[in-house]
Amino acid sequence: MGVRWLLRWRLPAGQTPSPQDEDVLTRMLDAFHCKAQRDQPGSKAGYSYEVKCQLLKQETVNVSGVKQTAGMKDVWLVQTSEAKQTGYLVHRAERMVLEVGSEGSDLMEKFNYKSRGKHTITLTGKKFSKGDFVIRLASATQVSEGSTATALGHVLEVEYTPLLCPEAAAQIGSEFLEVLAAFTPRGPDGRSLGSLDLMKQPISQYSGLPATYGFQHAAVQYVDMAIQLVHVAASAQGRAGSQQADGSAAQGGTSAAPTPR
């Protein structure tokens, strides 16, 4: 495992995420001469990557006849296909990360937590390689209990495998990302189909993390990206609702105007 960076695929204003965005990004990686990876013989090329971020809900408990909220706020459980036997609890308010194994479910029950279905964000996708770099292209979805998944967009994760020190990998990572961005596809009319937004590294704000980069560092980045994706989707939905309301008001105002005689 090496140092990783996360990038969000930003669409032009007014556009919403769609499966075609993955085709655009795949073409970009193909043009950059990246190779799809297989984890196991016989597996489908590239489809071997999944990250799940769950916001844990605090339970309400009865203490001497008084209802109180148990547990800590803003705690996320992160699980990845790369470390199937391990999970990571990210407590954003306290800037702490706790590694948990198979006892994770028992720990959640002990501290009166349960998963909040509407705040489960999943990244699923393909793996590519380019020299010493591994690139993961993932679609992000948010699933509510009893409903279908909502598309949140696409994410690229870039990993530089030789180095485990973020500071030492910063320069070569920056150069690689700059070259990658130059391969961003354009439409037939020459307009940009989107851009890659690099997420700022939040790991320096957390205490107690190992000196070398590992899954605990990645878990912090995944949670911050999940929150960013949800906020962007909510903002876009709010703007669309506002525009629809303005259009309805304008239409209503026109129909209500008196007819000239």
Side-chain angles (χ1 to χ4, degrees):
M1 182 180 189
V3 177
R4 302 183 179 192
W5 300 269
L6 292 180
L7 304 100
R8 180 178 67 87
W9 177 242
R10 182 201 291 219
L11 294 169
Q15 294 189 18
T16 57
S18 71
Q20 286 69 35
D21 299 329
E22 183 172 325
D23 296 335
V24 171
L25 290 168
T26 300
R27 292 203 309 270
M28 180 184 71
L29 295 176
D30 287 342
F32 195 36
H33 301 294
C34 298
K35 297 180 180 179
Q37 286 191 337
R38 285 190 177 95
D39 278 347
Q40 297 177 352
S43 65
K44 190 175 181 180
Y47 287 86
S48 54
Y49 170 60
E50 182 178 81
V51 176
K52 184 174 291 186
C53 300
Q54 297 175 306
L55 177 61
L56 303 182
K57 181 181 179 181
Q58 299 167 277
E59 292 279 23
T60 300
V61 296
N62 194 313
V63 179
S64 301
V66 179
K67 290 186 177 181
Q68 298 182 4
T69 301
M72 297 178 290
K73 295 181 179 180
D74 206 2
V75 176
W76 293 73
L77 174 63
V78 179
Q79 296 169 300
T80 78
S81 56
E82 297 176 275
K84 296 180 179 179
Q85 304 302 318
T86 308
Y88 300 89
L89 289 176
V90 179
H91 186 197
R92 296 184 71 247
E94 296 295 332
R95 295 293 190 262
M96 295 171 54
V97 183
L98 176 64
E99 180 178 315
V100 295
S102 57
E103 75 280 3
S105 59
D106 297 333
L107 187 68
M108 289 169 59
E109 183 177 352
K110 177 181 178 181
F111 288 99
N112 301 104
Y113 284 121
K114 67 178 181 181
S115 172
R116 298 182 65 176
K118 68 176 182 178
H119 286 299
T120 300
I121 292 86
T122 304
L123 305 178
T124 308
K126 309 174 183 180
K127 292 170 63 176
F128 299 82
S129 63
K130 173 73 172 179
D132 289 327
F133 287 87
V134 174
I135 303 99
R136 298 172 178 86
L137 165 58
S139 60
T141 56
Q142 180 179 10
V143 180
S144 300
E145 294 179 356
S147 67
T148 57
T150 300
L152 297 178
H154 288 78
V155 173
L156 280 184
E157 178 183 87
V158 176
E159 175 184 0
Y160 184 59
T161 55
L163 293 178
L164 291 173
C165 175
E167 291 77 12
Q171 181 63 33
I172 191 170
S174 177
E175 294 173 357
F176 182 86
L177 296 177
E178 183 177 352
V179 175
L180 175 62
F183 284 82
T184 303
R186 292 183 176 273
D189 58 358
R191 294 183 180 181
S192 173
L193 298 176
S195 59
L196 292 170
D197 285 356
L198 175 64
M199 189 189 74
K200 294 182 179 180
Q201 296 275 21
I203 54 179
S204 60
Q205 304 170 9
Y206 283 71
S207 60
L209 291 177
T212 56
Y213 190 96
F215 284 114
Q216 291 184 4
H217 301 75
V220 172
Q221 293 173 272
Y222 292 142
V223 169
D224 270 50
M225 176 59 76
I227 293 171
Q228 185 178 125
L229 289 167
V230 171
H231 285 175
V232 169
S235 297
Q237 186 177 11
R239 287 194 298 270
S242 177
Q243 291 172 358
Q244 184 177 7
D246 291 344
S248 299
Q251 184 178 6
T254 301
S255 62
T259 303
R261 294 183 184 275

